[in-house]
Amino acid sequence: MQHANLSHAVIDHVHLYGTEFLNIVLPQEGDGNFNPDGQYKPIIFRNSNLSNMEIIDCDISGLKINGILIEELLRDKEGGRQ
C-alpha cells in the first residue's frame, strides 16, 4: 500500500505483527490537510503491546512514552557515558 492518509483515524483492536511503516511524513504545503503553523494532533498508541518494536532512523522530537520525553532520556544517557 502506498500514499495512505490515516489522519485522524481511530483503529481499535488491530494485529500489526510483521507490519512496517516507511517514510511517514506530516502534510506538505499543497496537501489538503496542510497546516501552515505545523500544529497537528499527536499520534497515540494506547493500551498497546509494542514489545519487539523497533524505531530506526526516525525523527523522535517530541516523542513521549508514558509522559517521558525520549530525546531528553537519550541525551541524559549519552551525557552519563564516559
Side-chain angles (χ1 to χ4, degrees), residues 4-77:
N5 183 347
L6 296 176
S7 300
H8 302 280
V10 176
I11 303 169
D12 188 11
H13 199 82
V14 62
H15 296 257
L16 290 176
Y17 51 87
T19 302
E20 294 185 33
F21 293 92
L22 309 171
N23 303 311
I24 298 170
V25 298
L26 291 174
Q28 304 295 308
E29 191 168 359
D31 292 342
N33 54 351
F34 176 72
N35 187 343
D37 67 10
Q39 297 299 310
Y40 297 97
K41 289 178 67 174
I43 299 162
I44 298 173
F45 288 87
R46 182 178 291 127
N47 259 359
S48 300
N49 182 343
L50 300 178
S51 58
N52 297 314
M53 179 179 167
E54 292 186 43
I55 298 174
I56 302 168
D57 295 327
C58 296
D59 177 354
I60 61 161
S61 56
L63 173 65
K64 293 180 182 178
I65 298 177
N66 292 337
I68 299 169
L69 192 57
I70 300 305
E71 60 190 316
E72 286 182 7
L73 184 68
L74 293 173
R75 187 171 35 248
D76 291 347
K77 184 175 179 176

